[in-house]
Amino acid sequence: MSPVSSHVSHGQSTLRTVQVLGGGNAGSSAHVRSLAAGLVARGVRVTVCAPAEADRAYSFTGVGAQHVHVPRSSDPVSMAALRTVCADADLVHAHGLHASFRAVLALSGRSTPLVVTWHNHVHAEGARAHLMRLLERRVVKAATVVLGTTSELVDRARGRGARDARLAAVAVPRPTAGYEHPERPCSKVRAELGAIDRPLLIAVASLDPGRGHELLLDAARAWRLMEPVPLLVVAGEGPLRAEFQRRIDDEELPVRLLGRRDDVGELLAAADLALLPRSWEARSVLAQEALHARVPLVAARTGGVPELVGDAAELVPDQDVDAFTGAVIRLLGDPERRAALRDMGTRQAATWPTEDDTVAQVLSVYDELTRPRPLT
């Protein structure tokens, strides 16, 4: 990795950055934590503006960044807090559309450079889709540089009027070898979940609308006919938990809702298959973690998933219950195909940028935007 400056004014002062995060997207939150760790290690002062629950989940302070609680809101109090934090920044970097819009408002009237990263395509229809287009135009026209995590997002930013849009794929922290805690082996994890002599399937996503959990529950009805019956565990919390639990109980589905977990890596290592029924993220965290951990993945062909995984996963049409169900059944009955997907996943993951690559690219953008310009 080539050295990149982390200072401004000819080395006289440390670069001060503010990372603005909405906190509702796992991919962007994991990226900000990774980015903050890399920037702090290179001597950059980092302040993360995000809801308190985001810091509890991702521990930005644990990697040396300062955290300031700023709710996911554009109300006057939240905006005043954000504007105050940004006042001392040499550069502001916002992640996601809504966080970027709030950063634009907070920097109104100031010349502070604004970098915006688009992590995913915002899926909307009707009047909301029109509003999203207006927000996108406002953000990209105000941003100094827009970083898109896929070529599609870069083209979208340019189409909305971005002055400078660049491809900047992000990396999530790579799991440790084996993805397994030495004192809690996979066999123990499976025993704790009740999956000793049956296949274990895992999905990781908040229990919110649009995540595809309904499809998983539909598929679980068919999996009940298998012998042995697979167990699906879902790690994540959200407003639809009670509704899903009622359906699981009423239909006697082989599904366990685990709630929010801090041991997803161990759960994933113990699983036979990882399931991603829907994702609009450009670079799905679960998809990356599954391939890194050599766990075969079945995913809907949505968002940036096809570009991310290539042919290293079983991809099915979006919202096609029969196709998703069938792919899982076929894989569970085909150990050779599962072994091939593990090897293909390892090769595909090797093509992704590392955390160091990501930090180096972002820091080079920062250096470009904060470097003193020669007098003419």
Side-chain angles (χ1 to χ4, degrees):
M1 183 181 67
S2 58
V4 182
S5 169
S6 62
H7 297 79
V8 294
S9 302
H10 305 287
Q12 295 300 311
S13 61
T14 300
L15 181 66
R16 299 161 299 175
T17 70
V18 171
Q19 307 288 323
V20 184
L21 179 66
N25 181 285
S28 56
S29 298
H31 168 59
V32 169
R33 186 186 193 278
S34 172
L35 180 60
L39 292 174
V40 169
R42 290 159 177 78
V44 178
R45 284 176 53 190
V46 178
T47 299
V48 178
C49 292
E53 57 268 24
D55 186 52
R56 287 194 294 270
Y58 293 92
S59 187
F60 307 118
T61 51
V63 297
Q66 179 185 4
H67 170 254
V68 175
H69 170 62
V70 177
R72 296 180 64 194
S73 171
S74 298
D75 66 85
V77 174
S78 298
M79 290 307 305
L82 183 58
R83 187 171 178 83
T84 298
V85 177
C86 292
D88 295 329
D90 296 306
L91 179 144
V92 174
H93 189 165
H95 301 263
L97 180 59
H98 293 287
S100 300
F101 179 67
R102 289 186 286 117
V104 169
L105 296 179
L107 292 175
S108 178
R110 294 176 177 165
S111 59
T112 308
L114 173 62
V115 177
V116 165
T117 294
W118 279 4
H119 293 266
N120 57 283
H121 170 69
V122 179
H123 184 67
E125 299 176 353
R128 187 169 182 269
H130 178 66
L131 175 61
M132 293 301 104
R133 286 193 294 271
L134 294 177
L135 289 179
E136 287 174 349
R137 291 192 186 100
R138 175 75 183 273
V139 165
V140 301
K141 289 181 178 180
T144 315
V145 173
V146 178
L147 302 177
T149 55
T150 66
S151 54
E152 177 189 3
L153 290 173
V154 173
D155 291 342
R156 186 182 183 88
R158 289 171 178 161
R160 296 287 189 257
R163 293 172 288 171
D164 187 342
R166 312 177 191 183
L167 181 64
V170 302
V172 298
R174 185 165 184 167
T176 56
Y179 219 80
E180 182 179 329
H181 194 284
E183 297 180 0
R184 194 164 176 254
C186 289
S187 57
K188 185 174 182 180
V189 175
R190 293 179 71 99
E192 292 170 353
L193 295 173
I196 289 293
D197 298 316
R198 61 195 298 196
L200 179 63
L201 317 175
I202 183 171
V204 183
S206 60
L207 305 182
D208 293 307
R211 294 284 189 168
H213 294 299
E214 295 88 350
L215 180 146
L216 289 181
L217 298 185
D218 290 341
R221 283 205 303 265
W223 298 334
R224 290 181 306 182
L225 302 178
M226 299 179 65
E227 183 59 43
V229 178
L231 173 65
L232 168 64
V233 296
V234 181
E237 194 55 84
L240 296 180
R241 179 179 181 124
E243 176 184 328
F244 292 158
Q245 189 61 60
R246 281 194 299 271
R247 185 175 169 192
I248 292 167
D249 295 339
D250 291 345
E251 301 178 29
E252 298 182 347
L253 301 177
V255 180
R256 285 189 60 186
L257 302 180
L258 302 182
R260 187 175 288 109
R261 301 286 292 240
D262 59 5
D263 60 346
V264 169
E266 295 173 45
L267 297 175
L268 187 58
D272 296 289
L273 298 179
L275 309 183
L276 185 61
R278 206 174 210 200
S279 173
W280 296 109
E281 294 177 279
R283 299 182 67 83
S284 163
V285 174
L286 176 62
Q288 293 182 73
E289 291 180 335
L291 268 60
H292 275 312
R294 293 177 56 82
V295 178
L297 173 71
V298 178
R301 195 177 286 109
T302 55
V305 172
E307 183 177 340
L308 178 67
V309 303
D311 60 358
E314 291 287 346
L315 299 181
V316 300
D318 182 32
Q319 296 183 298
D320 190 328
V321 176
D322 292 339
F324 200 98
T325 304
V328 170
I329 293 174
R330 286 193 303 275
L331 266 186
L332 289 177
D334 190 346
E336 291 185 1
R337 174 60 176 165
R338 295 200 305 273
L341 284 176
R342 292 188 188 99
D343 292 339
M344 293 161 67
T346 297
R347 291 194 294 271
Q348 180 71 9
T351 68
W352 297 336
T354 65
E355 290 182 89
D356 277 347
D357 294 335
T358 299
V359 173
Q361 182 182 13
V362 169
L363 196 50
S364 69
V365 173
Y366 291 0
D367 187 59
E368 173 188 334
L369 300 183
T370 57
R371 185 187 307 122
R373 300 182 185 278
L375 298 175
T376 56

